[in-house]
């Protein structure tokens, strides 16, 4: 089956922006976050391995197929079944957003602008990908597919708008089959069920480890800063890596955390973080929360522990049942606000607040992302009705509002 998503008729020549000043700004933002994080106390002894992955700037050399993808709804296992590195491309650098803005002008969220901005930079990791896959999650992503297709063959995965399994499971599986057909056409490789099975198994190992670290942190959040937790998780999602090596290193982190004694009593407030994605180096709000004396003990972010929360459970043999299991995990268990109902997300927040014994919830929204803005109304009311303290922080990628946010968060913490 030969599949191509967009017609060639209006295809444009990709144009790259030579902007050395902006590149320097991007590096500066990254260096600042590296500096902040390197000053954290009690980091795992092998944190250098994860830093090496995240801080690497030259990924131009590759000996494997590389498939880029966006969001939490694309199963990386499908991409790995093509014997490819699966690399998530959502970008968190504010300077890259400024580049993207020059082309994608208008009221678009900074994550979409920054992600597009990274394609405008010829030597970026995004431009080393052979194929890109993104879901029709929000308007920006839905429309960005055709724009990215000028740079690299791109597939837009049609998501159902509703997480109604009975009604849309079949449609999601057939969309996964269409994705497989597209990747076969573009990569000239055969999809392998055997490799898919192996990819699901290694995905499960990753999920177990992330859950184990999350449980350890719930008991003793001071054992690992949430910023290092995000660094560890994002290194496996956002970089082309050797998954076995990552698994071994993360195993060492778990063992080290387990050997650390939890303080018998901590006065630091325990918080659940929910909301928009935070992608390295955009850890501004994480810096402020921890520096203000609180701990994030659980999160629902699609770039945090939530990204690896739900295991893929295959209950029957065969390719189709594996695809169904992937759709169940990545589409129907997703808590992305792009779906019609926000029940899954509210359930997860309440569940995490109870199981982590949290003192409050922090919502984080990115300016110009209407999805989170609209959801915040019901989340605020629901938490208030249950007397769970809650604050909503609405910001973008710039650092200008850092002190304002710090004041708001400190005031919130005082009320706990
Ligand atoms: S919140 Fe949803 S749309 Fe936004 S990056 Fe995450 S998965 Fe994608």
């Amino acid at each position: 089956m030969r599949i191509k998503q967009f017609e060639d008729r209006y295809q444009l020549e990709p144009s790259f922006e030579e902007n050395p000043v902006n590149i320097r700004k991007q590096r500066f933002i990254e260096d600042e976050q590296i500096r902040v994080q390197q000053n954290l106390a009690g980091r795992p002894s092998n944190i250098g391995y994860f830093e090496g992955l995240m801080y690497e700037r030259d990924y131009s050399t590759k000996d494997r197929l590389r498939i880029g993808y966006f969001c939490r709804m694309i199963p990386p296992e499908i991409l790995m079944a093509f014997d490819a590195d699966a690399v998530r491309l959502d970008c968190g650098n504010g300077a890259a957003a400024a580049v993207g803005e020059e082309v994608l002008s208008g009221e678009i969220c900074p994550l979409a602008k920054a992600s597009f901005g990274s394609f405008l930079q010829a030597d970026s990791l995004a431009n080393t990908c052979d194929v890109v896959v993104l879901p029709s999650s929000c308007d920006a992503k839905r429309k960005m597919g055709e724009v990215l297709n000028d740079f690299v063959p791109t597939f837009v995965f049609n998501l159902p708008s509703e997480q109604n399994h009975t009604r849309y499971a079949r449609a999601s599986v057939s969309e996964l089959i269409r994705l497989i057909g597209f990747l076969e056409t573009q990569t000239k490789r055969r999809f392998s069920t055997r490799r898919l099975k192996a990819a699901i198994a290694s995905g499960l190992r990753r999920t177990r480890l992330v859950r184990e670290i999350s449980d350890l942190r719930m008991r003793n959040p001071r054992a690992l800063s949430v910023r290092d937790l995000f660094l560890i998780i994002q290194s496996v999602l956002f970089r082309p890596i050797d998954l076995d090596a990552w698994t071994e290193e993360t195993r060492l982190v778990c063992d080290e955390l387990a050997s650390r004694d939890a303080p018998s009593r901590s006065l630091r407030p325990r918080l659940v973080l929910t909301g928009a994605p935070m992608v390295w180096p955009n850890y501004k709000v994480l810096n402020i929360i921890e520096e203000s004396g609180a701990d994030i003990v659980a999160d629902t972010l699609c770039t945090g522990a939530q990204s690896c929360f739900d295991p893929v459970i295959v209950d029957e043999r065969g390719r189709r049942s594996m695809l169904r299991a992937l759709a169940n995990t990545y589409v129907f268990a997703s808590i992305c606000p792009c779906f019609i109902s926000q029940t899954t997300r509210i359930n997860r927040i309440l569940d995490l607040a109870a199981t982590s014994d949290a003192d409050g919830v922090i919502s984080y929204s990115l300016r110009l992302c209407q999805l989170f803005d609209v959801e915040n109304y019901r989340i605020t009311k629901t938490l208030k009705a249950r007397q769970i303290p809650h604050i909503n922080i609405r910001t973008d990628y710039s650092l200008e509002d850092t002190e304002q946010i710090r004041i708001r968060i400190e005031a919130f913490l005082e009320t706990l």
Side-chain angles (χ1 to χ4, degrees):
M1 184 169 33
R2 289 189 62 76
I3 296 181
K4 203 156 185 264
Q5 183 136 36
F6 301 105
E7 288 188 32
D8 297 335
R9 212 180 325 172
Y10 302 114
Q11 180 117 14
L12 303 174
E13 275 302 308
S15 56
F16 300 104
E17 304 278 314
E18 288 290 328
N19 193 337
V21 176
N22 185 279
I23 301 284
R24 277 205 297 281
K25 273 191 199 161
Q26 288 187 40
R27 302 267 153 97
F28 176 77
I29 291 170
E30 290 168 3
D31 289 343
E32 267 306 289
Q33 187 56 35
I34 292 172
R35 187 189 57 75
V36 168
Q37 241 157 296
Q38 284 180 339
N39 283 330
L40 291 171
R43 303 181 88 196
S45 43
N46 63 342
I47 196 72
Y49 165 78
F50 304 97
E51 288 184 311
L53 293 170
M54 282 310 280
Y55 304 165
E56 175 60 57
R57 282 169 177 158
D58 181 6
Y59 277 102
S60 55
T61 320
K62 61 175 182 180
D63 48 13
R64 277 159 62 81
L65 184 70
R66 199 171 279 173
I67 305 180
Y69 70 102
F70 286 85
C71 290
R72 155 72 176 60
M73 287 76 95
I74 304 298
E77 289 88 343
I78 298 266
L79 318 183
M80 287 153 68
F82 282 86
D83 201 16
D85 284 325
V87 183
R88 190 162 161 187
L89 297 176
D90 295 282
C91 178
N93 196 309
V99 180
E101 192 169 49
E102 284 171 22
V103 178
L104 288 190
S105 51
E107 309 288 289
I108 307 169
C109 87
L111 184 139
K113 282 182 191 159
S115 305
F116 182 62
S118 61
F119 277 89
L120 295 173
Q121 192 184 312
D123 61 354
S124 66
L125 172 58
N127 277 312
T128 66
C129 292
D130 302 285
V131 190
V132 166
V133 183
L134 76 171
S136 58
S137 45
C138 58
D139 287 350
K141 294 247 167 85
R142 186 178 299 123
K143 296 307 296 176
M144 213 161 75
E146 198 164 13
V147 181
L148 295 185
N149 192 55
D150 291 336
F151 293 79
V152 57
T154 301
F155 182 89
V156 180
F157 183 92
N158 278 293
L159 287 171
S161 334
E162 205 179 350
Q163 288 173 304
N164 183 322
H165 184 269
T166 321
R167 209 175 289 161
Y168 297 112
R170 193 185 285 236
S172 296
V173 169
S174 73
E175 194 61 6
L176 287 175
I177 293 170
R178 201 170 70 91
L179 167 62
I180 290 167
F182 173 83
L183 293 175
E184 283 190 332
T185 304
Q186 295 298 334
T187 63
K188 305 201 173 22
R189 287 190 185 180
R190 298 282 302 166
F191 176 75
S192 152
T193 307
R194 184 180 48 79
R195 274 200 298 264
L196 178 62
K197 203 172 162 195
I200 291 177
S202 52
L204 277 174
R205 284 195 289 278
R206 186 191 62 195
T207 297
R208 276 194 214 105
L209 281 168
V210 171
R211 279 184 165 230
E212 193 176 330
I213 300 192
S214 304
D215 287 347
L216 288 162
R217 286 197 70 258
M218 248 187 219
R219 287 200 286 280
N220 180 11
R222 297 313 295 149
L224 180 74
S225 158
V226 70
R227 291 167 275 179
D228 280 343
L229 172 74
F230 274 43
L231 192 79
I232 292 170
I233 294 173
Q234 292 182 10
S235 66
V236 71
L237 299 175
F238 288 76
R239 297 292 183 263
I241 63 161
D242 173 348
L243 207 49
D244 290 336
W246 182 90
T247 306
E248 271 174 39
E249 296 289 341
T250 310
R251 175 77 266 144
L252 295 176
V253 174
C254 288
D255 294 344
E256 190 174 340
L257 299 192
S259 69
R260 293 185 182 175
D261 294 331
S264 51
R265 186 161 168 268
S266 169
L267 292 177
R268 292 171 70 91
R270 297 165 61 85
L271 302 173
V272 169
L273 177 67
T274 185
M278 292 180 186
V279 185
W280 195 87
N282 176 36
Y283 289 177
K284 171 175 73 175
V285 172
L286 299 180
N287 291 339
I288 297 171
I289 293 170
E290 288 195 327
E291 286 163 8
S292 305
D295 292 317
I296 304 290
V297 288
D299 75 84
T300 73
L301 269 51
C302 70
T303 53
Q306 168 62 36
S307 60
C308 305
F309 186 82
D310 297 294
V312 178
I313 313 246
V314 185
D315 45 17
E316 285 171 47
R317 286 161 67 92
R319 180 186 292 195
R320 216 177 167 85
S321 60
M322 285 194 252
L323 297 182
R324 231 183 357 252
L326 290 168
N328 283 345
T329 297
Y330 287 96
V331 177
F332 296 102
S334 165
I335 57 167
C336 176
C338 67
F339 296 103
I340 288 175
S341 169
Q342 61 186 108
T343 302
T344 320
R345 179 161 169 235
I346 293 181
N347 282 343
R348 185 67 52 80
I349 296 170
L350 294 177
D351 182 46
L352 286 177
T355 52
S356 68
D357 194 19
D359 299 300
V361 173
I362 292 205
S363 290
Y364 166 79
S365 352
L366 276 176
R367 277 198 192 108
L368 302 174
C369 174
Q370 294 87 349
L371 297 172
F372 282 103
D373 283 346
V374 174
E375 286 214 341
N376 271 334
Y377 167 72
R378 298 182 75 246
I379 285 175
T380 306
K381 297 265 182 203
T382 307
L383 292 173
K384 192 167 179 204
R386 284 159 182 77
Q387 295 178 335
I388 300 174
H390 171 241
I391 184 174
N392 181 34
I393 302 295
R394 194 161 177 274
T395 180
D396 54 23
Y397 279 5
S398 85
L399 297 173
E400 281 161 22
D401 57 357
T402 302
E403 291 316 309
Q404 264 169 289
I405 295 175
R406 193 184 301 280
I407 290 167
R408 288 195 59 215
I409 288 181
E410 283 174 356
F412 173 66
L413 296 179
E414 273 176 28
T415 66
L416 299 181

